[in-house]
Amino acid sequence: MATQKNKLKEVRLSIPVSPEDIAALEIGTVVYLDGVIYTAREGAYKRILEQGIAPPVDLAQLSNVSFHCSPAAARNDDGSYTVGAVTATASFRFSRWLADWFPASGCKVIIGKGGMSAEDYRTHFVPNGAVYLTTVGYGTGALLGRGIKHVRDAHWLDELGIAQALWVFEVENMGPFLVESDLRGNSLFDRDAERINAGVERLYDGLQPPALSRYGETTSREDEVI
Amino acid sequence: MPQETKRTIPSDLIEATAFELMRRAAIEIPEDFRLGVEAMVDTEAEDLSRFVLESMVENWHAAEEDRRAMCADTGLPRYYVKAGNEAVIGGGFVALERALRRATARATHEIPLRPNRVHPLSRADHNNNVGINAPEIEFSFEPDADWLDITTVHKGGLFGTDYRMLFPGDGKDGIKRFFLDTMMQFGRRGLACQPAIVGIGLGGSKDTSMILGKQAACLRTVGDRHPDPEIAALEVELTELGNNIGMGPMGFVGTSMVVDCHIDVGYTHTGGMPMSVHSFCLSSRRAVARIHPGGEVEYRTDPNWFTPYHRREGIE
Ligand code: SF4
């Protein structure tokens, strides 16, 4: 493998990420983070947003970066935690909580896997001054695990279990992440999908139609299964 | 009797070996797969797609240096056992199965692996990756051999696998069509965590085609070609087709979707051509050990599952 210098723009941001830093982010930029981040997914969303249970800490005070993630982690005998690899979980499932989540948490950066819909960016992210960062690969669990310097807390571990607990991590140069949505509502996945879709039909040119069509096969090839 | 005892492979050696295999699989990417992805770094012209590939290579180095799992989703651990016809297992096959289940539970706690296995309805989790029908253990046999080959695969990914009943009239066009459909629907946003080793099961009954496709993805190494020239040519053709969709890792524009494509076949109903497609993701985790009757253990990453005997066609 020849080592090629990657031509992507790269930034290293301190948390809390400032409004100026967020406004300057462009889709496709590589991001590394320093500071405190916390994990929040359906378990935390349900407790805070549906059941009205107060968050275990003042989230807005803690950090403005939250992570759709469940770490491969274990609680040690002395009460500390060991985190091995860290991999994000697919974010599209959490769309329904976004409207309430941003005002409740003060969150400005959501990190996850695979992005959310353009509609979610327009309706929820942009008006709240927030952007979405995607993990890379998505199997870069060892690299992301390296970025965690200390596990500060694991809230609601008993109530929600390891995967769904609200983990608070102190991170250093954690990444890589890619800017998937910016404050103008652009989406990196959408931009590339448009280029790919332009060439999709030619792939099927000359292939005879199937003997038996399949229920659901009428879905346009430009559609996504999510 | 003393003769018997000397040849016996004890179940505690099987358990210790299986535990070591679980550790190797979770942490060390097989060399054939790494070289395949590194070759894609050289041919990938798109910056974003190449960045993803380079990050993956860096991630595998980090995993090995830190001895941590390469991906936090450690998949569904499972086993493939190939037993020589003359192999003798202390306590028999039941002892072997129990040893593999114990090794799985211990590895989950000690490596650690993510306890991914839950009951499908109650979602009950024993926190050890063991449960009803889990881990799967599949068997195959080999003539004129006295060893035991154990392969573990940690197959990740909820996406990238599909099944379809095709018909003889669909021919290779039908195969290509279904292959393209699967690559694209799960390639978008990188749901399949591609580039992947894509395995295709063709023929057999429905369940056979699923099993063959999974084995073709997980138990054959990058660069391996089917001995039947027609099937081998189709493997190469589908690899190229997949890499010319215009899509790469994470669904970005690119040319890196398929590290390699493997097809395995089974004789099927005269009226049908069942086909399955399986994607073995960027964490293509497999590790193999051969245990000899003398207690010697050799580790490798090529399962060598599809032996000529395994693919036999006639009556012997
Ligand atoms: S599909 Fe593979 S690389 Fe992707 S998250 Fe799952 S185990 Fe990791």
Side-chain angles (χ1 to χ4, degrees):
Chain A
M1 182 181 76
T3 33
Q4 313 193 24
K5 184 94 188 83
N6 106 65
K7 298 188 198 81
L8 303 180
K9 199 167 150 186
E10 197 178 299
V11 294
R12 191 166 166 177
L13 302 178
S14 305
I15 304 167
V17 187
S18 70
E20 297 75 34
D21 281 345
I22 290 176
L25 288 177
E26 295 166 13
I27 56 172
T29 299
V30 182
V31 178
Y32 292 85
L33 296 171
D34 296 283
V36 174
I37 68 173
Y38 61 93
T39 68
R41 50 185 298 181
E42 62 267 49
Y45 291 155
K46 275 188 197 150
R47 279 175 81 83
I48 298 170
L49 304 174
E50 291 178 13
Q51 296 162 15
I53 298 172
V57 276
D58 182 340
L59 294 175
Q61 275 298 112
L62 182 69
S63 170
N64 62 2
V65 181
S66 74
F67 195 1
H68 291 153
C69 148
S70 53
R75 195 199 319 231
N76 303 323
D77 293 341
D78 65 359
S80 67
Y81 302 94
T82 303
V83 174
V86 179
T87 305
T89 194
S91 298
F92 67 86
R93 300 170 290 165
F94 307 137
S95 173
R96 50 192 275 227
W97 290 290
L98 285 177
D100 296 328
W101 174 248
F102 284 118
S105 65
C107 176
K108 298 293 174 202
V109 177
I110 288 184
I111 308 172
K113 171 177 174 177
M116 305 191 72
S117 69
E119 161 104 29
D120 281 336
Y121 297 140
R122 275 194 305 273
T123 317
H124 303 301
F125 281 75
V126 174
N128 284 290
V131 296
Y132 182 101
L133 306 182
T134 177
T135 54
V136 174
Y138 299 94
T140 46
L143 282 181
L144 297 181
R146 261 187 182 179
I148 295 178
K149 290 300 153 201
H150 180 63
V151 180
R152 188 186 283 185
D153 266 310
H155 298 290
W156 290 342
L157 196 56
D158 293 333
E159 293 87 340
L160 295 175
I162 283 184
Q164 299 278 347
L166 197 149
W167 293 83
V168 182
F169 299 135
E170 291 169 18
V171 307
E172 188 183 309
N173 205 20
M174 188 191 202
F177 305 110
L178 282 167
V179 180
E180 139 69 359
S181 84
D182 63 17
L183 282 194
R184 288 159 294 284
N186 296 313
S187 153
L188 183 63
F189 286 121
D190 274 10
R191 187 197 71 187
D192 271 40
E194 254 175 59
R195 280 175 66 192
I196 291 164
N197 286 343
V200 162
E201 286 308 321
R202 98 183 134 76
L203 291 168
Y204 291 83
D205 278 355
L207 295 181
Q208 59 162 345
L212 180 78
S213 63
R214 203 182 187 217
Y215 194 73
E217 222 170 37
T218 48
T219 308
S220 159
R221 290 206 178 84
E222 300 191 2
D223 289 350
E224 299 191 39
V225 289
I226 62 167
Chain B
M1 272 318 266
Q3 189 74 2
E4 271 297 287
T5 320
K6 194 164 152 268
R7 286 170 35 79
T8 297
I9 298 172
S11 64
D12 55 351
L13 179 61
I14 294 171
E15 185 180 333
T17 306
F19 178 84
E20 176 60 19
L21 285 174
M22 296 293 268
R23 183 196 303 281
R24 287 178 187 232
I27 296 171
E28 299 167 13
I29 195 77
E31 192 186 20
D32 59 283
F33 187 73
R34 180 175 52 76
L35 291 175
V37 171
E38 285 179 354
M40 288 180 135
V41 173
D42 293 336
T43 53
E44 180 59 67
E46 293 283 335
D47 287 342
L48 266 175
S49 283
R50 200 174 57 247
F51 174 74
V52 180
L53 297 176
E54 287 171 339
S55 300
M56 285 311 306
V57 173
E58 207 186 322
N59 183 67
W60 295 324
H61 287 306
E64 284 185 28
E65 261 172 53
D66 300 1
R67 302 305 293 167
R68 63 170 95 220
M70 64 182 85
C71 184
D73 184 346
T74 49
L76 295 183
R78 59 188 295 149
Y79 295 96
Y80 294 89
V81 176
K82 194 183 281 291
N85 191 42
E86 280 77 49
V88 181
I89 296 156
F93 281 97
V94 169
L96 177 143
E97 291 196 314
R98 287 180 176 154
L100 297 183
R101 289 170 78 87
R102 276 198 303 269
T104 306
R106 196 156 65 81
T108 302
H109 289 291
E110 292 181 25
I111 295 175
L113 305 176
R114 191 197 280 173
N116 274 340
R117 293 276 195 175
V118 300
H119 187 285
L121 288 175
S122 71
R123 312 309 286 181
D125 188 344
H126 299 158
N127 278 319
N128 60 9
N129 281 313
V130 175
I132 301 170
N133 279 311
E136 294 85 351
I137 304 173
E138 283 176 54
F139 289 94
S140 165
F141 304 97
E142 191 66 13
D144 307 318
D146 58 2
W147 40 252
L148 192 65
D149 269 4
I150 300 175
T151 298
T152 187
V153 165
H154 295 184
K155 174 77 171 65
L158 304 174
F159 311 101
T161 295
D162 207 352
Y163 161 82
R164 205 174 282 184
M165 176 58 86
L166 303 178
F167 297 90
D170 285 319
K172 287 192 185 141
D173 276 7
I175 293 171
K176 286 180 199 167
R177 181 179 281 281
F178 178 36
F179 173 80
L180 282 172
D181 287 352
T182 310
M183 291 299 100
M184 275 194 297
Q185 68 170 320
F186 298 115
R188 290 181 186 278
R189 292 175 191 251
L191 291 181
C193 287
Q194 72 270 11
I197 302 178
V198 179
I200 292 178
L202 209 52
S205 48
K206 293 178 184 71
D207 53 338
T208 316
S209 98
M210 283 301 278
I211 289 168
L212 283 172
K214 181 126 193 175
Q215 293 180 349
C218 300
L219 302 179
R220 289 176 57 191
T221 56
V222 174
D224 179 45
R225 290 279 71 85
H226 197 283
D228 178 330
E230 192 187 1
I231 296 172
L234 190 56
E235 290 177 343
V236 172
E237 196 179 346
L238 291 182
T239 303
E240 281 166 10
L241 186 63
N243 288 330
N244 281 300
I245 289 174
M247 198 189 284
M250 295 178 73
F252 294 140
V253 174
T255 54
S256 313
M257 280 295 275
V258 182
V259 183
D260 205 351
C261 174
H262 299 310
I263 304 172
D264 265 276
V265 301
Y267 271 45
T268 190
H269 191 287
T270 183
M273 187 171 64
M275 170 168 165
S276 74
V277 181
H278 299 252
S279 300
F280 202 11
C281 66
L282 271 169
S283 298
S284 276
R285 295 160 293 203
R286 60 172 134 74
V288 192
R290 174 163 296 182
I291 309 178
H292 293 278
E296 191 197 345
V297 181
E298 296 166 300
Y299 290 94
R300 60 183 207 265
T301 52
D302 180 355
N304 194 19
W305 178 258
F306 288 98
T307 60
Y309 175 74
H310 192 96
R311 288 193 181 117
R312 67 199 179 278
E313 190 165 1
I315 304 160
E316 289 146 84

